[in-house]
Amino acid sequence: MIIRMAGVAAAMLVLAACSSAPPPGAGAPISGGIGSSGGRFAPGSQQDLAATAGDRVFFAYDQSDISSEGQQILQRQSEWLKRYPQVSVTIEGHCDERGTREYNLALGERRATAVKNVLVALGIPSARIQTISYGKERPIVVGSDEAGYAQNRVGITTVNGG
Amino acid sequence: MTGSHVAARAVWGAFGLVLSMLCVPEARAELHIDITHGISQPLPIAIPPLIGEGENGQLGRDIAGVVTNDLQSSGLFRPIDPKAFIQDVSTGGPPQFGAWRQVNAQALVTGVVQTQPDGKSRVEFRLWDVFAEQQLAGFAYTTTRQNWRRIAHIIADEIYKRITGEDGYFDTRIVYISESGPAQNRVKRLAIMDQDSANNQFLTDGRALVLTPRFSPSAQEITYLSYAAGVPRVYMFNIDTGQQAALGDFPGMSFAPRFSPDGNRVVLSRSEGGASNIYSLDLRNRSLSRLSDGTAIDTSPCYSPDGSKIVFNSDRGGSQQLYVMGAGGGGAQRISFGSGKYATPVWSPRGDLIAFTKIGGDGGQFSIGVMRPDGSGERILTSDFLVEGPTWAPNGRVLAYFRGSPTDKSGHGGGARLFSIDLTGNNQRELATPGDASDPAWSPLLR
């Protein structure tokens, strides 16, 4: 997901460069380095979170354990959240369609809580983090195959009011 | 035989229907379908239009049509094409059994529709054993004309009961979730229809995502899950008033609601700290009792019909399996031990079986199956890419469930439809809905 977001950002830069009338600041050097989206997105926004830290962690089938890759993403999310202490977030828990509806609601909640617990352990106040489960009701991608299912077994950190 | 001696009389209050039993001689019960072992040959039955003057003639045809459709849908009866009929019943008079034997009818339904001086309709029907030349059942119903479909379903239930020895299930409704729109932003509405798909109504407008409706024992209320307040919560919908209200006042997600058999409680799951446990909410005083305790996912609870036990699914042992505990909570016994995961247990209204959704086995397919309450006698009724959420017809002989299809990368497919299937695994048929549909729940008999 990080890779894909970076790809999107790169494509946007190319478009800006090709534009006959580049918007002001388009050619300005990117500042901020690692841990910042470099001003491409509004600071503290959902897009900023996604580009800077990655806004989602993926899970194995019927599991809610956070992988080491997920841990790294949540580490970056926690740093980002500390930079924007006014921001509160809701963790959405999602499941693939290969489970029953009610169990998946519970599993989505368990995944969202697993993400929240890591962020709290990394120093983010519990009061800044809500959870909600969508079970298998709001798939992120369509397609009844493993590639699609893998994208849908996810905890997404969403910026409230963003 | 033609005398309408009134042997019994009953009035169903809200429905305003008066029932009179017409004289039935002691009949040898020759005409009988044994429905417990699967049906080899559906019973040929002739259902000519009920006789009536003027507009009652049309009503008689309509009633016969609904009765025909009900009995046909059960898979146990084979209504004979009216084009084959020899006797013209419209002239009245007693059945000419020889003429009905010629068209191979084993059973015959006759009836009369009349308008009473008070404007109400009186619908009389008789069920005949063609070979024994005997009346098997006879009833007269008096009600307002607009109730004609229910009269037809009640007649079909009487015929079913007289021939099979089991209660019917035609005078019932099904509540379900109507689905529309793309998979990623699916619109889901609470909807209700008669068991034969007539009188479909949408109960919610689709603004809030709603799931998993269940009837109260009176069939006047529906408990379900709604995202109306943002967080998924258990709600109650009153069919008479159209009122919707969140049930209970406690934090976090509540889901998977079902009524207790006496209607006094709703059993549900609540999520806290990633765990989901089972609670019972007393509707009389709104007190909440915790019935399971742990870090597992305990959900999809369902009372036994006597109210003494609860079956649910839990992953406490590592994978999702079925457990039975007392209605007051406490220790639970695992009852499912086959390969794969087990979910959505629903206790048969007869108490003898528990239906479930099974995931896994070959190719990760979904199945609908049944087992005895002690876990023995597991039997799969149907399997597919996605079949989920069985619900029992009130006689415990037929189940409804939903079947979903896979989606491709462009979002095509992914529809869901309701189906019914006989307990023997035969007679699978779609329950027609205006669009995609899921999460069916069958009502009790309405009377």
Side-chain angles (χ1 to χ4, degrees):
Chain A
M1 213 54 224
I2 299 260
I3 293 161
R4 209 181 83 187
M5 288 308 294
V8 170
M12 289 173 68
L13 288 175
V14 170
L15 281 175
C18 292
S19 168
S20 56
I30 291 169
S31 61
I34 295 165
S36 161
S37 65
R40 294 192 302 272
F41 302 112
S45 68
Q46 183 71 36
Q47 294 86 346
D48 186 29
L49 171 66
T52 308
D55 65 354
R56 61 197 65 194
V57 296
F58 298 101
F59 297 89
Y61 175 66
D62 199 14
Q63 298 298 315
S64 57
D65 301 331
I66 305 286
S67 65
S68 57
E69 191 191 348
Q71 280 284 351
Q72 290 168 25
I73 291 166
L74 295 180
Q75 176 68 40
R76 291 200 295 273
Q77 284 189 9
S78 72
E79 289 164 8
W80 185 89
L81 284 163
K82 285 170 185 168
R83 194 175 314 142
Y84 302 105
Q86 80 286 0
V87 168
S88 66
V89 293
T90 299
I91 318 292
E92 293 181 1
H94 296 270
C95 304
D96 66 34
E97 67 190 11
R98 304 311 287 162
T100 46
R101 194 177 313 289
E102 290 173 333
Y103 180 84
N104 276 7
L105 285 170
L107 180 60
E109 184 66 25
R110 189 190 257 171
R111 285 174 174 164
T113 304
V115 169
K116 174 176 177 170
N117 288 346
V118 171
L119 291 174
V120 170
L122 291 168
I124 308 303
S126 177
R128 288 176 62 192
I129 310 172
Q130 292 169 295
T131 59
I132 186 168
S133 175
Y134 286 101
K136 60 176 174 178
E137 304 309 316
R138 289 286 179 263
I140 310 309
V141 301
V142 293
S144 298
D145 55 20
E146 182 47 37
Y149 298 156
Q151 297 284 309
N152 290 333
R153 297 190 295 258
V154 65
I156 305 178
T157 303
T158 59
V159 173
N160 291 346
Chain B
M1 206 70 95
T2 51
S4 52
H5 167 71
V6 175
R9 201 168 250 277
V11 182
W12 292 300
F15 185 28
L17 181 145
V18 179
L19 161 73
S20 310
M21 189 181 290
L22 305 177
C23 176
V24 182
E26 284 297 313
R28 293 159 292 152
E30 286 180 354
L31 209 52
H32 179 76
I33 301 175
D34 179 3
I35 61 175
T36 56
H37 298 104
I39 177 81
S40 49
Q41 285 293 321
L43 184 94
I45 185 169
I47 312 168
L50 279 60
I51 303 165
E53 303 269 329
E55 62 178 6
N56 286 331
Q58 185 58 47
L59 198 56
R61 275 188 291 280
D62 292 343
I63 289 172
V66 169
V67 171
T68 299
N69 182 57
D70 280 353
L71 295 178
Q72 178 122 43
S73 75
S74 75
L76 302 175
F77 295 85
R78 183 173 62 77
I80 294 165
D81 186 346
K83 290 194 201 84
F85 294 168
I86 297 168
Q87 182 185 3
D88 179 7
V89 295
S90 66
T91 55
Q96 296 158 15
F97 291 110
W100 294 107
R101 278 196 292 272
Q102 273 193 58
V103 298
N104 296 316
Q106 291 190 33
L108 169 68
V109 178
T110 61
V112 179
V113 181
Q114 292 166 309
T115 305
Q116 298 192 145
D118 64 2
K120 286 186 173 172
S121 297
R122 182 174 188 279
V123 180
E124 183 185 309
F125 99 97
R126 293 166 195 273
L127 173 66
W128 305 88
D129 182 330
V130 170
F131 285 81
E133 304 196 0
Q134 276 185 325
Q135 183 178 322
L136 297 175
F139 291 94
Y141 308 95
T142 308
T143 186
T144 53
R145 194 177 180 83
Q146 67 193 33
N147 283 331
W148 72 269
R149 287 195 78 93
R150 289 206 51 202
I151 294 292
H153 293 312
I154 290 167
I155 290 172
D157 279 335
E158 288 298 337
I159 295 168
Y160 183 98
K161 183 172 186 175
R162 187 62 189 77
I163 302 287
T164 69
E166 307 276 348
D167 284 333
Y169 57 92
F170 302 119
D171 186 24
T172 55
R173 303 172 94 182
I174 289 173
V175 63
Y176 69 96
I177 298 298
S178 170
E179 301 191 8
S180 59
Q184 287 160 294
N185 196 21
R186 199 80 161 148
V187 174
K188 295 199 173 190
R189 304 167 72 184
L190 207 54
I192 192 169
M193 64 183 185
D194 295 350
Q195 147 283 134
D196 64 350
S197 301
N199 295 320
N200 189 87
Q201 292 174 59
F202 298 102
L203 302 180
T204 63
D205 59 16
R207 272 181 293 184
L209 178 63
V210 294
L211 304 169
T212 64
R214 298 285 167 140
F215 276 107
S216 68
S218 71
Q220 291 307 302
E221 287 165 309
I222 295 160
T223 184
Y224 62 106
L225 177 140
S226 175
Y227 280 73
V231 181
R233 300 211 53 181
V234 170
Y235 279 69
M236 191 78 89
F237 186 97
N238 186 305
I239 294 176
D240 286 340
T241 64
Q243 259 186 337
Q244 309 167 46
L247 200 54
D249 184 23
F250 33 82
M253 175 171 76
S254 60
F255 60 111
R258 329 272 192 257
F259 279 93
S260 61
D262 64 8
N264 288 332
R265 294 168 186 275
V266 167
V267 64
L268 52 82
S269 282
R270 278 182 69 195
S271 282
E272 291 165 291
S276 291
N277 280 292
I278 295 171
Y279 290 75
S280 160
L281 180 73
D282 192 317
L283 298 173
R284 295 161 296 188
N285 57 22
R286 302 277 151 164
S287 68
L288 192 66
S289 318
R290 187 187 186 106
L291 303 184
S292 80
D293 194 359
T295 58
I297 291 173
D298 292 350
T299 190
S300 301
C302 175
Y303 282 96
S304 59
D306 68 0
S308 69
K309 297 190 183 82
I310 291 170
V311 62
F312 61 101
N313 62 237
S314 175
D315 67 349
R316 60 181 64 183
S319 80
Q320 207 178 345
Q321 299 291 337
L322 305 186
Y323 292 79
V324 172
M325 66 178 173
Q333 290 279 323
R334 179 172 163 182
I335 63 163
S336 62
F337 291 94
S339 66
K341 299 189 289 184
Y342 292 80
T344 75
V346 278
W347 219 301
S348 161
R350 303 162 66 93
D352 57 345
L353 292 169
I354 289 167
F356 54 82
T357 305
K358 187 174 182 176
I359 308 167
D362 298 337
Q365 284 220 115
F366 280 57
S367 301
I368 302 291
V370 294
M371 62 172 68
R372 294 193 196 97
D374 65 0
S376 66
E378 179 179 331
R379 202 155 48 82
I380 297 301
L381 302 181
T382 185
S383 299
D384 209 330
F385 169 74
L386 174 66
V387 286
E388 184 180 340
T391 177
W392 292 92
N395 72 350
R397 291 290 177 196
V398 180
L399 292 142
Y401 60 94
F402 73 94
R403 186 196 288 171
S405 56
T407 317
D408 68 18
K409 290 256 175 276
S410 56
H412 294 302
R417 295 283 166 161
L418 307 187
F419 286 81
S420 67
I421 192 167
D422 197 276
L423 183 51
T424 60
N426 296 312
N427 196 37
Q428 194 163 196
R429 51 179 76 212
E430 184 177 337
L431 300 170
T433 46
D436 279 345
S438 58
D439 293 2
W442 214 312
S443 81
L445 279 173
L446 294 178
R447 53 197 184 280

